[in-house]
Amino acid sequence: MMKKSLLGALAIGLATSTSAFAQTEIQWWHAMTGANNDVVNRLADEFNKSQNEYKVVVSYKGQYADTLNAGIAAFRAGNAPHILQVFEVGTATMMGARGAIKPVYQLMADAGEKFDPQAYLPAITGYYSTAKGEMLSFPFNSSSMVMWINKDELKKAGVNEIPKTWPQVFEAGKKLKAAGHDTCGFSNAWAPWANVEQFSAWHNIPMATKANGLDGFDTEMKFNSPAHVKHLQNLVDLQKDKTYDYSGRDSKSEGRFTSGECAIFLTSSGFYGNVKANAKFDFTSVPMPYYPDIQGAPQNSIIGGASLWVMGGKSAAEYKGVAKFFTFLSDTDRQAKLHQESGYLPITKAAYEKTKASGFYEKNPVLQTPLLELTNKEPTENSRGLRFGNMVQIRDVVSEEIEAALAGQKPAKDALDSAVTRSNQILRQFERSVSR
């Protein structure tokens, strides 16, 4: 009897062990921090608990550029993750990486997963699709740039209306500085994204030829126009007494808003989770400011954030698990909840409609701001999006030149002329690399 019990226990143990061993692991490398890191962990945990065939394992790899570089290095070394979160400026680089990726539309078809590309918001998926509408990567945390406002501090400074134009922002910044914000009247994170990329689209000015690279890799930069120079010169002038204060190339400085230091701050709408968790004041977000003397402004904003790229060289079983995970992420209720909690845009039409129908935006207008910007007008060639090879390096170059101008090392026009020349050199290097 005891032998039978022992054998039974062994059989159960072996079965459990075999089941655990058979579970296919899916590695997901990401760049999310703070409240958004919690969202990533929760999604993986919920997926893992929803079934027992696959296990998604998340790994934080640093900021966006760090994560992209880590993924590229891992692919070359033969140990790439299954899923790599890549910010939007890495799209052209990923598209040009032959053999390194498995397109999402192909992944879903091969895995036999139900997949309708028309179910996703075109303003988002267009950025990550071929000219034929084939989705190459899976939209995840899409966002746009908005202007965050500390309503309490504006009121104390005597700014009675939230600024809508750049001249109004400059005046509000001066009042805030006079009211005690000595180190920051207004500022922004992501300097190149704010002051060149979104600035160009929002004012319907080309950043580059060939529809900002969407129509071909043989594009040339044009962001040294009189409007671009005027804007940078205004920031240079206001930096001198810290009415404007530079906050760096990425999102590391966003705490300057939640701490109360900067009462006007331009950065991603995806900052919402951190603002909600940490701001001890009445806040809101509004559309980016514009120059009223530029005809047609404001136009529409472009998306930011990141998408999930599936890396090449994996087994059919592993790809099946990735496809199951993407189906899980596309669920309407899950997408609506993700949007409402994180501030990132809903990626499916159904999730957007569900959120609207619930009356959510009447109570939470902050989360509709990026959607209103993206759909403000029908996109033009200047505002459909950007697709530049080696964009990470280009952003570094643009940042260097902006920083040189703000430091008084060169005039604004010289800085932007140099940034354009250097960026075009990088584009030609990329063009040669993908045409070999």
Side-chain angles (χ1 to χ4, degrees):
M1 188 67 185
M2 284 184 65
K3 284 184 178 179
K4 284 185 178 180
S5 299
L6 181 59
L7 287 171
L10 282 171
I12 293 170
L14 282 171
T16 304
S17 174
T18 302
S19 175
F21 182 77
Q23 198 172 38
T24 302
E25 203 166 89
I26 306 296
Q27 295 288 335
W28 176 12
W29 289 7
H30 71 91
M32 308 306 286
T33 58
N36 292 328
N37 179 64
D38 296 339
V39 169
V40 167
N41 289 328
R42 192 180 71 236
L43 287 170
D45 187 54
E46 288 175 0
F47 175 72
N48 294 339
K49 289 177 178 173
S50 71
Q51 45 73 51
N52 57 15
E53 289 184 75
Y54 309 99
K55 181 181 180 182
V56 171
V57 179
V58 298
S59 299
Y60 170 70
K61 292 294 177 179
Q63 292 239 327
Y64 281 135
D66 302 324
T67 302
L68 175 59
N69 290 333
I72 291 171
F75 176 75
R76 289 171 177 162
N79 57 2
H82 302 83
I83 302 171
L84 180 67
Q85 185 188 23
V86 177
F87 59 166
E88 84 287 1
V89 300
T91 301
T93 298
M94 297 301 287
M95 287 176 65
R98 294 174 185 169
I101 65 161
K102 186 172 181 71
V104 164
Y105 76 91
Q106 193 177 345
L107 168 93
M108 300 302 270
D110 291 351
E113 280 294 303
K114 186 180 178 183
F115 177 66
D116 177 11
Q118 300 303 317
Y120 299 84
L121 285 175
I124 297 172
T125 55
Y127 211 100
Y128 304 115
S129 301
T130 67
K132 297 177 182 176
E134 297 163 332
M135 276 175 61
L136 299 174
S137 62
F138 186 84
F140 178 61
N141 56 317
S142 295
S143 64
S144 195
M145 176 155 283
V146 299
M147 185 162 70
W148 291 95
I149 299 291
N150 181 332
K151 295 169 72 175
D152 291 344
E153 290 304 302
L154 260 65
K155 188 176 179 181
K156 288 180 190 173
V159 181
N160 298 321
E161 292 188 14
I162 294 175
K164 293 181 179 176
T165 68
W166 275 113
Q168 290 171 352
V169 170
F170 301 154
E171 289 306 309
K174 291 173 183 174
K175 289 184 177 180
L176 284 162
K177 188 170 179 302
H181 288 266
D182 296 334
T183 59
C184 180
F186 70 95
S187 189
N188 59 266
W190 301 107
W193 189 36
N195 297 309
V196 174
E197 298 162 30
Q198 292 285 5
F199 179 87
S200 302
W202 198 228
H203 290 85
N204 196 21
I205 302 169
M207 181 176 168
T209 60
K210 295 271 183 177
N212 292 331
L214 293 178
D215 290 347
F217 290 143
D218 55 338
T219 175
E220 293 185 356
M221 295 297 188
K222 296 288 183 185
F223 59 84
N224 54 348
S225 75
H228 290 97
V229 172
K230 173 186 171 183
H231 179 58
L232 179 55
Q233 187 60 54
N234 282 333
L235 298 183
V236 169
D237 293 342
L238 294 167
Q239 173 75 61
K240 292 173 183 173
D241 70 352
K242 292 191 177 291
T243 295
Y244 167 75
D245 194 48
Y246 183 66
S247 292
R249 307 177 177 189
D250 51 33
S251 62
K252 293 175 186 170
S253 62
E254 286 175 335
R256 297 186 80 185
F257 178 75
T258 48
S259 70
E261 180 189 4
C262 301
I264 299 176
F265 201 87
L266 279 78
T267 189
S268 170
S269 57
F271 186 37
Y272 171 73
N274 282 329
V275 178
K276 184 180 178 184
N278 299 307
K280 307 300 181 190
F281 48 80
D282 188 13
F283 66 86
T284 190
S285 76
V286 295
M288 294 179 289
Y290 62 95
Y291 286 95
D293 58 339
I294 296 180
Q295 189 174 7
Q299 172 57 41
N300 67 280
S301 67
I302 53 179
I303 66 166
S307 63
L308 304 181
W309 289 82
V310 184
M311 304 303 287
K314 306 301 181 186
S315 70
E318 291 167 317
Y319 282 138
K320 181 81 173 175
V322 175
K324 291 281 186 190
F325 184 53
F326 285 174
T327 297
F328 170 86
L329 291 178
S330 300
D331 175 76
T332 298
D333 289 344
R334 185 163 291 107
Q335 270 299 315
K337 184 179 178 185
L338 187 61
H339 163 54
Q340 293 168 19
E341 291 183 351
S342 71
Y344 285 110
L345 306 176
I347 64 170
T348 64
K349 296 174 183 174
Y352 183 35
E353 293 302 326
K354 182 181 177 74
T355 302
K356 276 200 297 187
S358 71
F360 179 82
Y361 294 128
E362 281 76 33
K363 298 175 184 172
N364 302 276
V366 167
L367 292 186
Q368 198 171 24
T369 302
L371 291 159
L372 295 175
E373 287 182 322
L374 285 165
T375 58
N376 187 54
K377 289 179 183 171
E378 192 67 25
T380 70
E381 285 204 345
N382 301 325
S383 64
R384 276 198 289 143
L386 313 173
R387 191 168 292 164
F388 303 124
N390 292 335
M391 186 62 178
V392 177
Q393 293 92 321
I394 289 173
R395 273 193 171 177
D396 284 342
V397 161
V398 175
S399 296
E400 287 173 9
E401 297 295 343
I402 288 175
E403 289 163 4
L406 291 170
Q409 295 169 357
K410 58 175 67 175
K413 185 171 189 320
D414 289 0
L416 291 181
D417 286 347
S418 178
V420 164
T421 300
R422 294 172 64 192
S423 297
N424 282 332
Q425 291 170 351
I426 294 172
L427 286 174
R428 299 293 74 81
Q429 289 170 356
F430 178 77
E431 193 180 355
R432 286 193 295 273
S433 71
V434 296
S435 61
R436 286 173 186 160

